[in-house]
DNA sequence: ATGAAAGCGCTAACAT
DNA sequence: ATGTTAGCGCTTTCAT
């Protein structure tokens, strides 16, 4: 069952190929009667124009290639929705490729997309070298969802630099928190560790940095036999509080790197935690809950990075609004596609971060008090 | 910056277009010297074959279209990886489209994929009508990751029917659980509700079904002032245990539908929960932890459906192995693409489910005992 | 308003 | 082993 061609439609409608072509592209200069006949013939045959032939002949393909780093990336779905929204009622088809988290695959995927001669390209967090980015930029209009440093010739859309961090820190500080820990639950140390340390230091807060294992050690699960909610203390930057020895106040990694040279702060337990590398904060939250901590009564949790589960588990997050990122990216691309001046200087768009309060943060509990209203 | 063409390469290498074409396709019947010259010219020009032109001329495009329901679908990333793995060292490019969870968008995406005249199509959970599925099947080889009923002419790959359910139920029963609740945390009632009810009934277990709100009502968060881990009881199918009135034993929805006509079972609290509609079970887990329940000491949790966060939060899951699904789907497609007989009967592959024990399930606690080892 | 004709960049017979 | 030639299905002048 081969696909019907323009010619088949023309034959069936009793007109020439060119006429059918005009009708298919919605040209106004076709008589009503003919147009109806052509459309009827096309429908009867189940005709759909061959995008390959069309692209070849027209010199534009109507394709916008979208290169994602990884389908599992919590940003990916949102960005894609924003792109689709931005491209609505435009004769553009979004085609996705992904590097599946690997640089080599990203490169291949980029080439495959370029081979299709897309009208434009959106590179969303893909692990590309500058050379590859340049190659893409030289081939067609490109908007990158990345810091501009990586893609100087492409339009870029990204989070306000430091925006989410600032938002998270201000939020906690406004709630009265002064003893704040950063928990990096990622597999590899996040660059955000020192950004948060710096931002907190600006408030006179010297925040310890833990990984998930260290957090678990510091706040071990409530032992099976014991009463819940009463053992374990979050580490402090000072000497260990008078606690059972099981509660390691500071992890080796903490001592080894992040805390070197920091000022000790006393023995109060941490009242708030910033979760990195754990989009949505679910892992950090459950670790704390398992340790018998009530969130947010005993400890507030805010996660850097949005994810589906943030809503499900109720963790407050600061994040870049992914949809908005996608919308802005598509807007920049359309502007470039429609726009006159192909050599105008690159767009440098910035999107403000969003704090979504899901109740995992609350005012610091006054020292010595049993409870605090949220 | 136009793309260089075959002709440009030929000119630069001082040979004919056809020779370049042969070289680009790795034909063996080209002399070493010429081949090297052509390759050098191509590299210097940054030549990449135009996939559109190639597809048009060759009658095959090398494209495998992959239609996903939704990028956020926890299965999507895994399936895609499996597909990519299955297609490795084949001259095939995977191109993704998605319906973003909407039927209309899925249809559009399918059409856009078909317009590219793909060599094959993988439909992974997209919300397509049977008519659309038939249209796809009539156009090119299709493998659907769906129950065969929906796509009788396509090859299908799917989970063993009832497999994950059986696996979950057997797991809990083997651990001694008899008081089991099903919590459906999805926005819409899952069809799995009655499947689990049925499977549990086969073991003489009459399981109540709750939604997340009902679970919260039944196991309210530990009040700020109180000691953790001691209030709230999971509902039973029998009369409410002697508990504070805040603990609603059965939700209205529970009474209204799922429990109608079920046999009451007594007053023991539930010792295990199956989480539906909450891939990875994070929402159910945190709700229980917030209520002061220890998992798995007080209550075991198993989630139906794998998700990234399952690993992060430590919830045991039963799920279809997404990668394997993808691998099998690609294998079926390749078989169809290479294979001789285009009319052989459709593949009906089935993939066994996988239980990933992450420690959220444990043996039932002997009645009246304080604790149980995991 | 409609038709004729020339490609778009490539592949695949077919020559040589 | 290498060059020639006819399309693939469509768009797009250009005539009419």
């Amino acid at each position: 069952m081969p696909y019907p061609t323009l010619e088949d439609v023309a034959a069936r409608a009793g007109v020439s190929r060119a006429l059918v072509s005009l009708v298919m592209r919605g040209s106004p200069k076709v008589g009503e009667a003919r147009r109806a006949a052509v459309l009827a013939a096309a429908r009867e045959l189940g005709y759909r124009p061959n995008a390959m032939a069309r692209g070849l002949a027209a010199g534009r393909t109507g394709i916008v290639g979208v290169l994602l780093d990884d389908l599992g990336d919590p940003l990916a779905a949102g960005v894609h929705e924003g792109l689709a929204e931005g491209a609505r009622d435009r004769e553009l088809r979004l085609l996705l490729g992904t590097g599946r988290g690997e640089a080599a695959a990203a490169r291949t995927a980029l080439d495959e997309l370029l081979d299709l001669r897309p009208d434009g390209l959106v590179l969303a967090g893909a692990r590309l070298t500058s050379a590859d980015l340049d190659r893409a930029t030289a081939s067609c209009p490109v908007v990158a969802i990345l810091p501009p440093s990586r893609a100087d010739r492409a339009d870029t859309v990204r989070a306000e630099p430091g925006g989410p961090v600032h938002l998270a820190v201000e939020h906690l500080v406004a709630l009265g928190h002064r003893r704040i820990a950063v928990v990096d639950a990622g597999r590899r140390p996040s660059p955000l560790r020192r950004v948060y340390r710096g931002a907190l230091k600006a408030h006179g807060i010297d925040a310890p940095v833990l990984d998930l294992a260290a957090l678990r050690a510091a706040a071990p699960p409530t032992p099976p036999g014991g009463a819940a909610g009463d053992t374990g203390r979050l580490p402090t930057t000072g000497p260990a509080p008078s606690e059972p020895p099981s509660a390691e106040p500071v992890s080796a990694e903490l001592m080894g790197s992040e805390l070197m040279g920091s000022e000790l702060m006393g023995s109060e337990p941490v009242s708030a935690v910033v979760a990195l590398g754990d989009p949505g904060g679910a892992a950090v939250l459950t670790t704390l809950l398992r340790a018998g901590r009530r969130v947010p009564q005993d400890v507030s949790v805010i996660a850097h990075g949005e994810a589906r589960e943030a809503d499900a588990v109720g963790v407050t997050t600061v994040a870049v609004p992914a949809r908005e990122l996608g919308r802005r990216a598509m807007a920049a691309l359309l502007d470039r596609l429609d726009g006159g001046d192909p050599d105008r200087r690159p767009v440098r768009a910035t999107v403000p971060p969003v704090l979504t309060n899901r109740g995992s943060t609350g005012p610091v509990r006054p020292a010595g008090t049993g409870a605090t209203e949220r």
Side-chain angles (χ1 to χ4, degrees), chain A:
Chain A
M1 43 216 67
Y3 295 86
T5 74
L6 204 60
E7 184 130 31
D8 298 327
V9 177
R12 188 174 234 275
V15 301
S16 75
R17 290 172 21 184
L19 219 225
V20 178
S21 176
L22 286 179
V23 172
M24 294 319 292
R25 284 175 291 137
S27 163
K29 38 188 189 177
V30 178
E32 263 320 306
R34 304 262 192 175
R35 144 167 283 119
V38 168
L39 255 19
R43 191 158 351 91
E44 287 159 23
L45 292 174
Y47 172 76
R48 293 232 90 210
N50 181 326
M52 297 266 159
R54 184 178 272 204
L56 227 209
R60 348 167 236 89
T61 55
I63 291 176
V64 171
V66 180
L67 189 58
L68 265 20
D69 177 40
D70 181 5
L71 284 190
D73 180 342
L75 274 178
V79 166
H80 178 243
E81 278 175 23
L83 290 171
E85 197 178 319
R88 181 182 313 169
D89 3 278
R90 298 283 314 229
E91 297 257 314
L92 290 177
R93 63 193 82 219
L94 260 45
L95 243 29
L96 310 186
T98 139
R100 304 193 311 285
E102 300 158 35
R107 209 202 128 104
T108 304
L110 171 63
D111 281 338
E112 291 179 352
L113 247 20
L114 285 176
D115 289 351
L116 292 170
R117 303 298 186 259
D119 292 346
L121 224 39
V122 176
L123 307 179
R127 302 170 189 226
L128 297 172
T129 62
S130 301
D132 284 332
L133 278 169
D134 289 344
R135 201 154 48 84
T137 312
S139 304
C140 68
V142 171
V143 25
I145 301 184
L146 288 176
S149 59
R150 300 271 324 282
D152 48 354
R153 288 195 47 192
D155 294 336
T156 60
V157 178
R158 59 167 174 160
E160 261 170 24
V165 174
H166 188 250
L167 197 56
V169 168
E170 291 302 321
H171 180 66
L172 293 181
V173 166
L175 288 169
H177 295 281
R178 292 297 177 275
R179 313 280 175 177
I180 300 174
V182 175
V183 176
D184 184 359
R187 342 194 76 208
R188 281 173 309 204
S190 163
L192 288 170
R193 289 181 176 201
R194 49 194 69 253
V195 183
Y196 270 101
R197 291 251 316 150
L200 287 162
K201 196 160 283 170
H203 286 275
I205 296 168
D206 192 11
V209 177
L210 296 78
D211 61 17
L212 208 49
L215 179 67
R216 263 189 215 111
T222 311
D230 209 31
T231 55
R233 291 218 141 217
L234 275 175
T236 74
T237 53
S242 49
E243 288 297 328
S246 73
E248 291 237 317
V250 204
S251 74
E253 199 225 8
L254 189 59
M255 285 306 292
S257 59
E258 300 294 346
L259 269 194
M260 288 308 276
S262 73
E263 206 179 341
L264 300 187
M265 290 182 61
S267 59
E268 284 291 312
V270 159
S271 71
V273 166
V274 178
L276 311 183
D278 176 21
V284 168
L285 174 69
T286 53
T287 300
L288 290 168
L289 292 176
R290 285 195 141 111
R293 308 311 169 82
R294 294 163 308 168
V295 175
Q297 293 89 355
D298 297 333
V299 53
S300 287
V301 174
I302 190 165
H304 184 108
E306 181 68 286
R308 292 212 162 181
E309 65 265 25
D311 211 45
V313 304
V315 172
T316 296
T317 56
V318 287
V320 205
R323 270 182 97 106
E324 182 62 18
L325 232 35
R327 264 195 296 261
R328 299 288 291 273
M330 185 52 76
L333 188 59
L334 292 180
D335 190 40
R336 182 78 65 182
L337 291 181
D338 302 334
D341 183 8
D343 301 312
R344 69 138 196 281
R345 58 190 257 281
V347 170
R348 291 285 173 259
T350 247
V351 176
V354 170
L355 185 147
T356 307
N357 192 329
R358 298 193 183 86
S360 71
T361 49
V364 69
R365 175 162 63 174
T369 302
T372 300
E373 295 265 79
R374 170 172 125 209

